[in-house]
Amino acid sequence: MAATKDSETNNKAKTQQASAPASSLTDKERDQIAQMPYEEARDNLIKAVQALEAGGLNLDQSMHQWEVGEALAKRAQSLLNEVRAKLENAEAEQQSTAATAGTQSNLE
């Protein structure tokens, strides 16, 4: 019975590994990308795309460049989303106070 449970656990682990895409990015590369400001992520994304467009890379290098580009694009998009949310919050706050601007209730 214990052998059956071990076998089931191993099969589940193998299934999860098979469904998770392999990545050539190192933890260091992921950490570096996660810390990049928007401009650096954007500029590095442009370089990754240019390297792919230029060709001359073998399959492993091309896949690595593509994965770097995907990670950079996600980083840049998440930073843009954060800024968008801040702007929307500021706009909503401004609209909520606009109705009372210049009135006595604004001074209370």
Side-chain angles (χ1 to χ4, degrees):
M1 181 130 173
T4 303
K5 286 187 179 182
D6 288 341
S7 177
E8 289 174 10
T9 302
N10 287 337
N11 287 339
K12 285 181 184 178
K14 287 179 185 177
T15 301
Q16 289 173 345
Q17 288 174 351
S19 64
S23 176
S24 66
L25 292 180
T26 65
D27 289 339
K28 182 179 178 182
E29 288 172 316
R30 283 189 185 91
D31 290 341
Q32 287 174 335
I33 291 170
Q35 300 303 314
M36 283 183 187
Y38 172 78
E39 292 80 3
E40 185 178 355
R42 180 203 58 215
D43 292 346
N44 286 332
L45 174 57
I46 291 168
K47 289 176 187 174
V49 170
Q50 288 172 339
L52 287 168
E53 288 176 341
L57 302 174
N58 66 34
L59 181 59
D60 288 337
Q61 292 169 327
S62 294
M63 282 302 301
H64 184 76
Q65 278 300 326
W66 181 78
E67 289 177 343
V68 166
E70 284 290 316
L72 290 165
K74 287 178 185 177
R75 172 67 179 159
Q77 189 60 54
S78 83
L79 290 168
L80 288 174
N81 290 343
E82 288 176 19
V83 170
R84 183 177 291 119
K86 287 178 184 178
L87 289 173
E88 288 172 355
N89 287 339
E91 185 179 52
E93 186 177 323
Q94 184 181 30
Q95 287 177 354
S96 70
T97 59
T100 60
T103 64
Q104 185 64 32
S105 62
N106 191 33
L107 302 175
E108 296 172 353

